[in-house]
């Protein structure tokens, strides 16, 4: 499977505060998936990049859509309003992976916090990031 999915936190406000790693992940994506106002915070899209905006409170549906796009071979960035571990998109993606299509478990999934922090997995491997994040979530 050649697709990938990265969960990107936009940080605490201004695009000037976005981490370089998060900015690179957004630029490298073929598809950006997120809550419409959060996608609007991302300045310029890469050539040919598609944006998939959704409403608020549909995190699981948004995660499933992103996973489907990644399974089709796209480089997907799921956008979160702040740190993705705090603002729930990481949890939504991993919940959708666990409950959804078994092929999704083979995707390369990583978390890029938009601010300094680990977000329950950071750049570790897909499986360890999921286990670490869900462990942290259960403890927290």
């Amino acid at each position: 499977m050649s697709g990938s999915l990265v969960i990107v936190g936009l940080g605490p406000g201004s695009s000037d505060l976005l981490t370089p790693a998060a900015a690179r992940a957004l630029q490298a994506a073929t598809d950006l998936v997120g809550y419409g106002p959060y996608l609007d915070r991302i300045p310029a899209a890469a050539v040919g990049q598609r944006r998939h905006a959704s409403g608020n409170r549909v995190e699981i549906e948004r995660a499933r859509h992103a996973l489907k796009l990644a399974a089709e071979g796209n480089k997907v960035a799921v956008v979160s309003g702040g740190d993705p571990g705090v603002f729930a998109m990481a949890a939504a993606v991993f919940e959708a992976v666990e409950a959804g299509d078994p092929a999704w478990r083979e995707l390369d999934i990583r978390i890029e916090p938009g601010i300094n922090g680990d977000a329950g997995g950071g750049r570790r491997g897909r499986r360890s990031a999921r286990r670490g994040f869900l462990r942290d979530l259960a403890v927290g």
Side-chain angles (χ1 to χ4, degrees):
M1 198 172 294
S2 61
S4 64
L5 188 146
V6 61
I7 307 161
V8 180
L10 295 180
S14 166
S15 61
D16 294 341
L17 300 174
L18 187 67
T19 65
R24 283 190 301 274
L26 292 171
Q27 281 297 312
T30 59
D31 294 82
L32 300 176
V33 176
Y35 176 47
Y38 295 161
L39 290 179
D40 293 343
R41 288 177 50 191
I42 302 169
V47 175
Q49 192 175 63
R50 297 174 300 264
R51 292 180 182 221
H52 306 266
S54 64
N56 199 5
R57 300 180 184 206
V58 291
E59 290 85 1
I60 297 297
E61 291 84 358
R62 188 180 311 136
R64 287 183 185 133
H65 180 66
L67 288 161
K68 182 176 181 241
L69 290 169
E72 292 169 354
N74 298 294
K75 289 181 166 183
V76 179
V78 175
V79 177
S80 187
D83 187 305
V86 174
F87 292 93
M89 278 316 300
V93 169
F94 290 130
E95 183 178 329
V97 166
E98 294 299 324
D101 187 330
W104 294 348
R105 293 188 181 115
E106 300 309 313
L107 288 169
D108 176 28
I109 298 173
R110 62 189 170 95
I111 302 170
E112 272 312 335
I115 56 179
N116 291 333
D118 181 33
R123 297 181 60 100
R124 286 180 270 161
R126 174 183 51 83
R127 283 187 174 83
S128 62
R130 179 171 56 235
R131 277 194 303 266
F133 181 78
L134 293 176
R135 181 195 64 240
D136 294 346
L137 186 64
V139 171

